[in-house]
Amino acid sequence: IERYYKPSCIPCIAISTDPSYAFVINFGHYSPLEEREVMTALSELLYDPTIPKLFQNGTYDVFVMYWQFGMLTRNHLHDTMLSGWEHYPEFPKALGFQASLWTKEPYWKYERKTDDYDTFLRYCGKDAAVTLEIFRAQEAAFTPEQRRHYEFNCSLLPILTYAQIKGIRWDAKRAKEKSLEYETLINQSKARLCVKAGDSFNPNSPQQVVEFLYNKSGYETQYKIEGGRKTNKKTTDKLALLKLLKKYKGDPIIADLLFYKKMVKLKQQADILYDADGRIRSSYNPVGTKTGRLSSSTAPTGTGFNLQTITKDLRHLLLADEGYFFFQIDLEGADGWTVASHCKNFGDDTMMEDYLYGIKPAQVIALMYMIERSKHKLAEPIEKYGTNITHWPRDVIKAQAKLHVDKDGWLYFASKRVQHGGNYGLGKIQMSNQILQDSYKLHSEPILLTAGDCEHLKRLYLGGRYLAVGQWQRWVKHQLHEHGTLSCASGHTRRFFGRRNDNAVINAALSHEPQANTTYATNLGLRRLWTDPDNRDSSGQLIVQPLHQVHNAICGQFPIAKTDWAV
């Protein structure tokens, strides 16, 4: 314990067994004998699987207690971050905010920054007691469905703790090489920009870039979008630059500014801090978003970052351990299956049958677009079946999609975005901007699709083969207007608190269930990896090890010697 003991990192820990009572373990204020007795008792308490533990954001506490003191926590059974989200996913989950909803405790969080140490210790004790009071109130208010989903989410906590503690091996040598490569490209890009803007030009300064682009060079001024509305704030953010790139048809100055920003971001990721054991870690929050998608952030050690955002250019720096293969398995396009299920429920099984036959709606959209723009490429099926693809046999659609739709091309990329954006009520301008940003982020080549083109593709989707999507959307709007709630396959019900006729609220409602169902399915797979007794060796260690989760994907590693079994 002494090896891990760093009182400057964790000054105290509080434990409450009743909302009116708590006691505080004050690290660094005991005699050596007292310290040994207290730390041993605390370690035994945390490790005892027969004693259920309740935390507020416990994945942090559990990790830190292990990392600093070598203490493992078992039976992390409850967490007010999760129970608070279960009731009100749109509300903040901070302890002070939850206390204002569920208790009559006067505000006390300011005491954390007091100069009086006794007040600080009392503050720590209040945190623990109020956490217990909040949870008891939330537990009493659960419906049976909410309780089941809450308990399911809690069952993920030890898996996420495992992933946080284990981390992923980081190729520090190659990361340094990539960092030097990016630094060279950054300097070259900056030199080119300084030739145009002046030697003192700093591309990192938003004010200088605004001055150079709009006042000195005369590019059309772009204004920041906040809450879906244009403000009067001038901006040169990524979206603004991409819009200018589209308007000025690949202008080299705008392209260089975008390139500079991208290289800076890549260098920041390549330079990320990693832990002394050569591994990179991330914090996980199983209810970090309104839809229940897991979120990721910097580890409690101060190292790592949101691993869900690591770019494809750098994913090769995440390595399996020696003797292991790294894997990623995902539910590609899974959100569409929820929409297809609703369409079938309304009497139209076209999308569901397409999916089951191996036809993706994005392929159908792309084929319809190609028929309208270049009929000669699809002459044979058109001559036989006509131009209305809805009446084509599925084997013909599948064959023609394989033959003509390039899955790496701009049309299929745009069609996928139009499908999901069309499902979720995205407007043509937002859709155009989304395609612009996603294409540049993923492929470094922006797809310059006009709002009119997006509207055309959207019309082909919603007004062509998949008419029942509109029926599902009208049903969601009705549910939102009449009840203000939507339920998901997991049993979770989300309550919406915005204006029910506001487009932003409607769009959030349309996207909620498909995303929530995909997350639930992914988390079911994650839990199965953890609980399957066949996935343990003779010593009880995991064989296929989950190390990371990205919305619809699970990443991890398995022994090379067990590849066939693992697959």
Side-chain angles (χ1 to χ4, degrees):
I1 290 173
E2 290 177 359
R3 181 163 57 91
Y4 293 96
Y5 187 37
K6 296 179 181 178
S8 61
C9 296
I10 310 173
C12 59
I13 184 172
I15 298 172
S16 173
T17 55
D18 184 272
S20 63
Y21 169 79
F23 62 92
V24 181
I25 298 173
N26 188 10
F27 301 132
H29 289 74
Y30 300 106
S31 69
L33 178 61
E34 289 172 334
E35 180 182 290
R36 179 172 180 173
E37 291 179 346
V38 168
M39 298 298 271
T40 300
L42 176 60
S43 181
E44 290 175 351
L45 168 71
L46 293 175
Y47 194 71
D48 190 335
T50 67
I51 300 175
K53 286 89 178 177
L54 162 69
F55 292 92
Q56 158 75 8
N57 191 23
T59 53
Y60 173 86
D61 300 84
V62 171
F63 177 89
V64 170
M65 292 305 294
Y66 171 78
W67 193 257
Q68 294 297 336
F69 299 115
M71 297 181 184
L72 281 171
T73 301
R74 296 200 289 178
N75 202 0
H76 176 185
L77 189 62
H78 295 295
D79 200 301
T80 46
M81 283 275 283
L82 277 62
S83 52
W85 179 91
E86 196 66 46
H87 285 288
Y88 300 116
E90 299 205 355
F91 285 3
K93 267 70 73 180
L95 192 66
F97 183 88
Q98 292 205 65
S100 72
L101 292 181
W102 296 95
T103 77
K104 294 183 179 180
E105 182 68 31
Y107 185 69
W108 78 101
K109 298 299 285 185
Y110 65 90
E111 295 173 352
R112 184 180 182 214
K113 296 183 179 180
T114 180
D115 293 329
D116 181 71
Y117 198 64
D118 284 343
T119 301
F120 174 77
L121 293 176
R122 199 171 295 111
Y123 152 82
C124 186
K126 285 181 185 177
D127 266 10
V130 172
T131 297
L132 181 56
E133 185 178 1
I134 290 170
F135 176 70
R136 287 184 176 177
Q138 290 172 341
E139 190 178 36
F142 274 146
T143 65
E145 293 77 17
Q146 284 178 319
R147 182 181 297 278
R148 282 196 294 271
H149 184 244
Y150 163 72
E151 290 175 351
F152 168 77
N153 273 347
C154 287
S155 72
L156 304 176
L157 292 172
I159 314 172
L160 299 179
T161 298
Y162 171 86
Q164 283 186 194
I165 289 175
K166 192 167 183 67
I168 304 175
R169 195 158 67 102
W170 182 249
D171 193 336
K173 181 180 177 182
R174 292 180 72 184
K176 187 174 181 179
E177 292 171 355
K178 294 299 290 185
S179 176
L180 293 172
E181 177 187 325
Y182 296 140
E183 186 174 6
T184 300
L185 293 171
I186 288 168
N187 291 334
Q188 291 173 351
S189 177
K190 185 176 180 180
R192 290 192 297 269
L193 289 166
C194 285
V195 169
K196 302 287 185 182
D199 291 340
S200 62
F201 179 64
N202 178 10
N204 292 317
S205 168
Q207 293 83 4
Q208 288 192 36
V209 178
V210 164
E211 175 66 26
F212 168 58
L213 287 184
Y214 304 143
N215 300 337
K216 182 178 178 180
S217 303
Y219 291 93
E220 183 180 291
T221 304
Q222 301 295 308
Y223 296 94
K224 197 164 189 65
I225 305 295
E226 293 179 350
R229 294 178 174 83
K230 188 164 84 170
T231 68
N232 60 357
K233 302 173 187 174
K234 295 179 181 180
T235 182
T236 57
D237 61 15
K238 180 180 172 184
L239 178 58
L241 292 175
L242 284 168
K243 286 180 179 178
L244 289 171
L245 189 70
K246 180 167 66 172
K247 180 175 179 61
Y248 293 97
K249 303 187 185 307
D251 181 276
I253 293 176
I254 305 300
D256 232 340
L257 280 168
L258 278 164
F259 180 76
Y260 178 88
K261 285 177 176 285
K262 183 165 187 174
M263 291 303 105
V264 168
K265 183 176 180 180
L266 285 170
K267 187 178 187 310
Q268 288 172 346
Q269 289 195 348
D271 289 339
I272 203 70
L273 293 174
Y274 55 92
D275 291 311
D277 59 359
R279 304 180 83 83
I280 195 163
R281 290 177 170 84
S282 178
S283 293
Y284 294 106
N285 181 353
V287 291
T289 64
K290 295 173 185 176
T291 60
R293 282 183 168 183
L294 182 145
S295 65
S296 167
S297 58
T298 302
T301 59
T303 61
F305 61 107
N306 178 2
L307 289 177
Q308 294 176 336
T309 63
I310 188 168
T311 62
K312 286 186 176 181
D313 295 340
L314 295 177
R315 288 177 190 172
H316 65 280
L317 300 177
L318 300 172
L319 304 175
D321 293 333
E322 291 296 331
Y324 283 78
F325 276 142
F326 197 93
F327 74 85
Q328 174 171 316
I329 187 165
D330 63 50
L331 297 169
E332 186 180 353
D335 292 9
W337 286 81
T338 291
V339 178
S341 298
H342 277 292
C343 290
K344 183 174 180 178
N345 202 39
F346 290 120
D348 183 353
D349 64 356
T350 305
M351 189 187 295
M352 179 62 74
E353 291 301 317
D354 280 355
Y355 270 125
L356 293 171
Y357 200 80
I359 299 170
K360 296 181 178 180
Q363 293 174 307
V364 176
I365 298 169
L367 276 175
M368 289 191 287
Y369 182 88
M370 293 172 71
I371 289 171
E372 287 196 358
R373 295 298 172 97
S374 52
K375 294 181 181 180
H376 65 279
K377 288 186 178 181
L378 304 170
E380 184 180 338
I382 287 174
E383 290 170 1
K384 190 172 182 181
Y385 301 106
T387 58
N388 188 349
I389 196 172
T390 303
H391 301 305
W392 291 12
R394 285 192 171 83
D395 59 340
V396 174
I397 295 175
K398 189 173 183 178
Q400 291 299 317
K402 186 177 181 180
L403 185 63
H404 295 291
V405 179
D406 179 8
K407 289 194 172 183
D408 296 320
W410 71 269
L411 180 57
Y412 183 69
F413 184 93
S415 296
K416 284 201 298 184
R417 266 64 187 175
V418 167
Q419 178 198 348
H420 294 297
N423 287 340
Y424 305 153
L426 214 61
K428 59 184 180 182
I429 295 176
Q430 293 172 297
M431 211 174 279
S432 174
N433 292 339
Q434 192 68 54
I435 291 170
L436 196 60
Q437 293 184 91
D438 288 352
S439 58
Y440 187 78
K441 177 182 178 181
L442 294 173
H443 306 299
S444 300
E445 290 290 336
I447 294 176
L448 310 176
L449 211 63
T450 67
D453 287 331
C454 290
E455 183 67 18
H456 181 63
L457 288 170
K458 185 178 175 181
R459 179 182 59 78
L460 291 174
Y461 173 54
L462 298 177
R465 187 174 177 84
Y466 305 114
L467 293 173
V469 174
Q471 195 172 354
W472 164 69
Q473 292 175 330
R474 289 187 292 275
W475 175 82
V476 170
K477 292 176 185 178
H478 174 77
Q479 289 290 110
L480 181 65
H481 184 267
E482 294 298 317
H483 307 289
T485 62
L486 283 175
S487 297
C488 307
S490 63
H492 171 66
T493 297
R494 175 174 170 182
R495 303 179 187 186
F496 295 84
F497 287 93
R499 289 191 177 96
R500 297 179 186 181
N501 60 349
D502 185 271
N503 283 336
V505 178
I506 293 170
N507 293 354
L510 289 169
S511 64
H512 174 72
E513 187 187 354
Q515 292 181 5
N517 285 352
T518 296
T519 299
Y520 181 54
T522 307
N523 287 340
L524 281 168
L526 191 65
R527 188 175 70 168
R528 180 172 290 185
L529 275 179
W530 182 262
T531 58
D532 187 345
D534 291 337
N535 192 33
R536 302 274 175 169
D537 61 21
S538 58
S539 65
Q541 298 297 311
L542 286 165
I543 300 170
V544 179
Q545 301 170 0
L547 302 179
H548 186 44
Q549 195 256 43
V550 191
H551 306 322
N552 68 338
I554 298 171
C555 303
Q557 62 181 19
F558 55 78
I560 295 174
K562 290 182 176 278
T563 296
D564 291 341
W565 180 87
V567 171

